[in-house]
Amino acid sequence: MRVEEHPILGEMKKPSFVEIEVDGEVIQAIAGEPIAAALLAAGKSIFRYTRKLHEPRGVFCAIGRCTDCMMVVDGVPNVRTCVTPVKAGMKIQTQHGLGEFRSVLQ
Amino acid sequence: MRGTEFAIVGAGPAGLSAAIEAARAGVQVMLIDENEKPGGQLFKQIHKFFGSKEHYAGIRGIDIGAQLLSEVEACGVEVMLDSVVWGGFADHTLGIIRDQKNLQLKAKKILLATGAAENALAFPGWTLPGVMGAGAIQTLVNVQRVLPGRRVLMVGSGNVGLIVSYQLLQAGAEVVAVLEAVPKVGGYGVHASKLRRHGVPILTSTTIKEARGKERVEKAISIGLDHDWREIPGTEREYEADVICLALGLTPLSELAWMAGCQFEYIPQLGGHVPVHDSNMETTVRGIYVAGDVSGIEEASTAMEEGKLAGIAVAEALGYLSAEEAASRKEAVLRRLDELRSGPFGEARNQAKERLHQQRCSQ
């Protein structure tokens, strides 16, 4: 959920929303915000499943260091969604294991 | 290969302050940062700083950041963003990745102002989505303005844990409790009091035992600790929480200093292994300086002063400042650093820094 009003930061500036696709579902996101922020705002908490045990992972550090939030973005796996800005029309997928590059190479 | 007089890695409070001091004296400065915006963590700090007027007391981190950025622009510093420095070498070369291309930069002097990384803690369930670092919460809530959950359990009562808890309240979340493993609250009383006034319990001698949930955090279990850090059976408490926030201190991000061959010292009060440096902030590798959290975990206010010291020292070493001029500028900064490191919270850091400086001088 978004923090629209804040006692220190004031009211949120009117954002310019764009549409992105997450696992086939269209959600509203703010252009330029990190993908991870858009997904958390939309209530998504699982970003990927681990390779061996298929355990869920989400956002841990949010500053591009821990790589927990990696997803498949426009066919490219292992994209750190917390430091990758949203662009209109992006296709984002929950990543399973290490992801596959095949979709990009073909 | 590109060249510059003074390359600074990291555009947080230390790097920005160093850039301003050096550029004002006439040094050609290149400021490099891996993020798309400069400022480091300053723009996440929406609380007011302490200390005297010289230490930006009463001003919020976000406003200090904006002020430093405009000064950097005004004095002609070249800022290179979205650029990851992957290597630092003793011959003063930096390896940089930018736009997926590698480039090398040779500098007469280098300042490593790379900051710190958050400490994590492993416990059953800690990998579940919903367990996050305090820095993550600060970034999401104060910069992106997104709340990752509604009910938060905070682990750690240092200043970061206390301040982030308060910021969560400001953003409309509930903080179910703050846990502290040692018998005493870690951070300043003023921050703890603000939380207590809002009815947030701060539980000392208590730690996190487990995070539970199917695919994300749904519950958190805490447990009491005895004086030997052993869990006391029967003291478990269960909380309904969707976020567990870890505020367990920081570790210097010192890879580049290791790589360049700087000598290190292990000083727990400063966050672990820190590069040995003198009062000019110069390491044991000539011409390579450190400032801010990488030289020992402290605060943004001390980071800015250390950055200034390094900036002045570099300007002097490159011949832009006379010895007398540099000495008088450094003296003013050192006096402010002494003030910042006085009192019960600063004393241990002050002694630790003294120890580092002595190491460097005895070489």
Side-chain angles (χ1 to χ4, degrees), chain B residues 178-222:
Chain B
V178 177
L179 309 184
E180 174 55 61
V182 303
K184 196 166 147 279
V185 171
Y188 294 144
V190 59
H191 294 313
S193 310
K194 280 205 247 173
L195 286 177
R196 296 309 312 275
R197 283 201 291 275
H198 279 79
V200 176
I202 303 177
L203 308 172
T204 52
S205 297
T206 304
T207 192
I208 179 88
K209 184 176 170 65
E210 194 180 339
R212 285 188 194 153
K214 196 161 169 284
E215 294 235 288
R216 62 155 304 138
V217 175
E218 292 164 24
K219 279 189 170 66
I221 315 289
S222 73

Side-chain angles (χ1 to χ4, degrees), chain B residues 69-101:
Chain B
L69 286 190
S70 73
E71 285 175 40
V72 155
E73 267 170 41
C75 58
V77 172
E78 190 180 342
V79 186
M80 193 194 271
L81 298 170
D82 284 316
S83 304
V84 177
V85 177
W86 59 263
F89 303 91
D91 71 347
H92 297 184
T93 309
L94 294 175
I96 304 170
I97 301 239
R98 187 192 198 186
D99 288 335
Q100 300 184 23
K101 285 189 195 75

Side-chain angles (χ1 to χ4, degrees), chain B residues 8 14 20 41 46 61 70 96 98 106 114 123 133 146 194 202 221 234 236 241 254 264 274 283 296 303 316 335 352:
Chain B
I8 300 175
I20 294 164
Q41 309 308 305
I46 60 171
S70 73
I96 304 170
R98 187 192 198 186
K106 182 111 179 164
T114 42
F123 52 89
V146 170
K194 280 205 247 173
I202 303 177
I221 315 289
E236 292 89 350
S254 54
F264 277 71
V274 284
T283 66
E316 180 189 12
R335 186 176 47 74

Side-chain angles (χ1 to χ4, degrees), chain A residues 1-12 34 37 40-41 45-46 49 56-63 65, chain B residues 34 44 46 60 62 120 127 129 131-133 135-136 139-140 142 144-147 149-150 170-171 215-216 246 253:
Chain A
M1 66 220 87
R2 302 210 180 256
V3 184
E4 273 159 21
E5 287 188 28
H6 193 286
I8 308 295
L9 300 168
E11 217 172 296
M12 205 168 163
L40 288 171
S45 55
I46 302 165
Y49 288 90
R57 293 285 188 274
V59 176
F60 182 75
C61 82
I63 54 170
R65 202 146 286 286
Chain B
E34 66 178 333
K44 302 166 189 181
I46 60 171
R60 300 181 196 280
I62 34 174
T127 57
V131 179
M132 292 183 175
T139 309
L140 289 166
N142 298 343
Q144 316 303 340
R145 300 190 61 159
V146 170
L147 265 179
R150 288 186 188 277
Q170 286 178 319
E215 294 235 288
R216 62 155 304 138
L246 307 181
L253 267 180

Side-chain angles (χ1 to χ4, degrees), chain B residues 261-264 275-278 282-288 359-360 363:
Chain B
C262 299
Q263 196 193 310
F264 277 71
V276 172
H277 57 271
D278 61 16
E282 191 170 12
T283 66
T284 53
V285 177
R286 282 256 152 234
I288 296 188
Q359 276 276 327
R360 176 69 174 76
Q363 303 240 318

Side-chain angles (χ1 to χ4, degrees), chain B residues 20-351:
Chain B
I20 294 164
E21 285 299 319
R24 275 194 189 148
V27 179
Q28 179 198 15
V29 183
M30 175 92 84
L31 181 57
I32 310 155
D33 199 284
E34 66 178 333
N35 297 292
E36 61 170 339
K37 293 187 190 99
Q41 309 308 305
L42 275 174
F43 289 95
K44 302 166 189 181
Q45 303 188 353
I46 60 171
H47 61 282
K48 290 179 179 170
F49 280 40
F50 290 147
S52 67
K53 195 165 165 240
E54 287 167 321
H55 305 138
Y56 301 93
I59 307 181
R60 300 181 196 280
I62 34 174
D63 300 325
I64 298 170
Q67 195 179 319
L68 291 179
L69 286 190
S70 73
E71 285 175 40
V72 155
E73 267 170 41
C75 58
V77 172
E78 190 180 342
V79 186
M80 193 194 271
L81 298 170
D82 284 316
S83 304
V84 177
V85 177
W86 59 263
F89 303 91
D91 71 347
H92 297 184
T93 309
L94 294 175
I96 304 170
I97 301 239
R98 187 192 198 186
D99 288 335
Q100 300 184 23
K101 285 189 195 75
N102 183 46
L103 61 112
Q104 283 176 309
L105 178 70
K106 182 111 179 164
K108 287 184 181 154
K109 306 283 175 192
I110 291 173
L111 170 65
L112 304 175
T114 42
E118 291 194 277
N119 296 332
L121 179 73
F123 52 89
W126 80 294
T127 57
L128 278 173
V131 179
M132 292 183 175
I137 301 277
Q138 242 187 351
T139 309
L140 289 166
V141 174
N142 298 343
V143 183
Q144 316 303 340
R145 300 190 61 159
V146 170
L147 265 179
R150 288 186 188 277
R151 289 172 60 85
V152 183
L153 176 71
M154 180 66 64
V155 185
S157 77
N159 278 325
V160 172
L162 297 176
I163 290 170
V164 172
S165 292
Y166 191 68
Q167 291 172 350
L168 279 160
L169 298 180
Q170 286 178 319
E174 191 184 336
V175 179
V176 296
V178 177
L179 309 184
E180 174 55 61
V182 303
K184 196 166 147 279
V185 171
Y188 294 144
V190 59
H191 294 313
S193 310
K194 280 205 247 173
L195 286 177
R196 296 309 312 275
R197 283 201 291 275
H198 279 79
V200 176
I202 303 177
L203 308 172
T204 52
S205 297
T206 304
T207 192
I208 179 88
K209 184 176 170 65
E210 194 180 339
R212 285 188 194 153
K214 196 161 169 284
E215 294 235 288
R216 62 155 304 138
V217 175
E218 292 164 24
K219 279 189 170 66
I221 315 289
S222 73
I223 190 161
L225 298 174
D226 69 13
H227 59 278
D228 274 331
W229 305 88
R230 283 179 303 230
E231 295 182 349
I232 306 171
T235 57
E236 292 89 350
R237 285 187 212 206
E238 193 179 286
Y239 304 86
E240 298 284 332
D242 50 6
V243 169
I244 297 172
C245 178
L246 307 181
L248 302 160
L250 302 163
T251 299
L253 267 180
S254 54
E255 293 91 337
L256 293 172
W258 284 107
M259 204 171 166
C262 299
Q263 196 193 310
F264 277 71
E265 180 89 0
Y266 184 75
I267 302 184
Q269 295 91 330
L270 293 176
H273 285 96
V274 284
V276 172
H277 57 271
D278 61 16
S279 61
N280 280 333
M281 306 311 295
E282 191 170 12
T283 66
T284 53
V285 177
R286 282 256 152 234
I288 296 188
Y289 298 71
V290 285
D293 276 350
V294 66
S295 73
I297 305 298
E298 292 189 86
E299 297 174 342
S301 39
T302 46
M304 288 186 271
E305 300 297 354
E306 287 190 337
K308 284 179 195 164
L309 272 183
I312 297 164
V314 164
E316 180 189 12
L318 292 173
Y320 288 95
L321 287 178
S322 67
E324 299 78 49
E325 182 55 36
S328 92
R329 290 188 193 188
K330 280 188 255 180
E331 201 190 300
V333 180
L334 286 168
R335 186 176 47 74
R336 292 199 294 273
L337 269 175
D338 269 349
E339 284 170 25
L340 285 168
R341 290 177 182 145
S342 62
F345 284 94
E347 197 47 42
R349 290 184 278 133
N350 202 19
Q351 284 166 7

Side-chain angles (χ1 to χ4, degrees), chain A residues 20-23 27 29-30 32-40 44-48 57-74 76-87 90-95, chain B residues 36 132 139-140 144:
Chain A
I20 57 174
E21 204 182 295
V22 185
D23 293 328
I27 68 161
I30 300 172
E33 75 178 334
I35 295 168
L39 298 191
L40 288 171
K44 185 173 172 68
S45 55
I46 302 165
F47 284 44
R48 67 181 178 98
R57 293 285 188 274
V59 176
F60 182 75
C61 82
I63 54 170
R65 202 146 286 286
C66 77
T67 67
D68 246 14
C69 68
M70 295 191 305
M71 299 180 85
V72 184
V73 176
D74 287 335
V76 180
N78 305 315
V79 173
R80 295 173 301 166
T81 55
C82 70
V83 289
T84 306
V86 160
K87 285 187 204 123
M90 264 180 166
K91 286 191 171 53
I92 294 148
Q93 290 162 281
T94 301
Q95 180 166 320
Chain B
E36 61 170 339
M132 292 183 175
T139 309
L140 289 166
Q144 316 303 340

